[in-house]
Amino acid sequence: MRLGILGGTFNPIHYGHLRAAEEIREGLNLAKIIFIPSAYPPHKKEEVINPLKRFSMVNLAIKENPFFSVSDIELVREGKSYTIETIKYLIRKYDKKMEIFFILGIDAFLEIEAWKDYRTLFSITNFIVISRPGYEQRTMDNPFPPGVSHEFSYDPKKKRYFRKDGFDTYFQEITLLDISSRKIRRYVREGKSIKYLLPENVMEYIRTHKLYR
Ligand code: ATP
Ligand code: MG
C-alpha cells in the first residue's frame, strides 16, 4: 500500500492543498493521504498562527474525505519541524506496511537544498512534486539540486526519476489553482471575500476566531 504525506504550514488550508491531494491520491494510486501541519516551520518569516488552530482548520477541511487524515506528530514534537524527522518517524511506524510518498509543490521543491539533511531525505523516501502556477516545471533536464542530481536517472515510460536504492521522484501535473495561504491572509486583512478559495467551515473558523486580521 502507498501512503501520501502532505506537509505544510496550512496557514490556512485551502482548495489548492485539497485538490492537489485528491488528484495525487487518484493519479498515483495512494491508499490515503496524511496532512501534517508543521508546528514551527524553519523557513517561514511571515506570521504563522498558533499550530493548534492550523491543525483544527485542517481537521475541519478534510473530515468528509475518508481517504484523508491529519496527524499531530509535528505538533507534539519539541522544537522546529524538520521533515527528515517526520519521515523517519513515519518509516518506523509504517514502513513495513506502507510505501511512503512525500508530496510537495514545485515552489517548495525548488528550495529543498535549504532543508535539513535533504540529501538523506531523498535516500529514505519517494517524492511527488506537483505543479503550481508561476513555477516552471523543469522535468526533462535534471530538476534536482546539484548535491543529488547524479543519484537520479529518468525512466520515460513511468515518467519518474529513480535511484539505485529504489526511491523514486515523480513530477505530477495537476489542475493549476492559483490559491495560496498568503493570498487568503492578505484578503482577510484587506476585508475582501475569501469565499470559494477554501472550505466554508474553515472560512467560518477564521471568522469566529478573528484570524489574520
Ligand atoms: P503560504 O502562502 O503561506 O506559503 P501555501 O499556500 O504555499 O502558503 P503551504 O502550507 O506553504 O501553503 O503549502 C504546503 C504544501 O502545499 C507545499 O508543498 C506547497 O508547495 C503546496 N501547495 C500549496 N498551495 C498549492 C497550490 N495552489 N497548488 C499546488 N501546490 C500547493
Ligand atoms: Mg508556501
Side-chain angles (χ1 to χ4, degrees), residues 6-11 14 16-17 20 44 46 103-108 130-133 174 177-183 185:
L6 182 58
T9 315
F10 302 115
N11 186 32
H14 53 68
H17 301 122
K44 293 252 169 169
E46 285 174 80
I103 305 162
L104 78 178
I106 184 78
D107 59 311
I130 54 182
S131 54
R132 193 168 183 182
I174 56 164
L177 293 172
D178 194 6
I179 305 173
S180 66
S181 303
R182 172 199 294 257
K183 188 192 278 186
R185 294 193 300 271

Side-chain angles (χ1 to χ4, degrees), residues 9-37:
T9 315
F10 302 115
N11 186 32
I13 189 166
H14 53 68
Y15 282 136
H17 301 122
L18 292 161
R19 182 64 202 170
E22 181 69 358
E23 288 189 20
I24 292 302
R25 182 190 66 74
E26 196 175 42
L28 287 168
N29 239 324
L30 308 181
K32 63 189 259 195
I33 307 269
I34 306 181
F35 290 68
I36 306 191

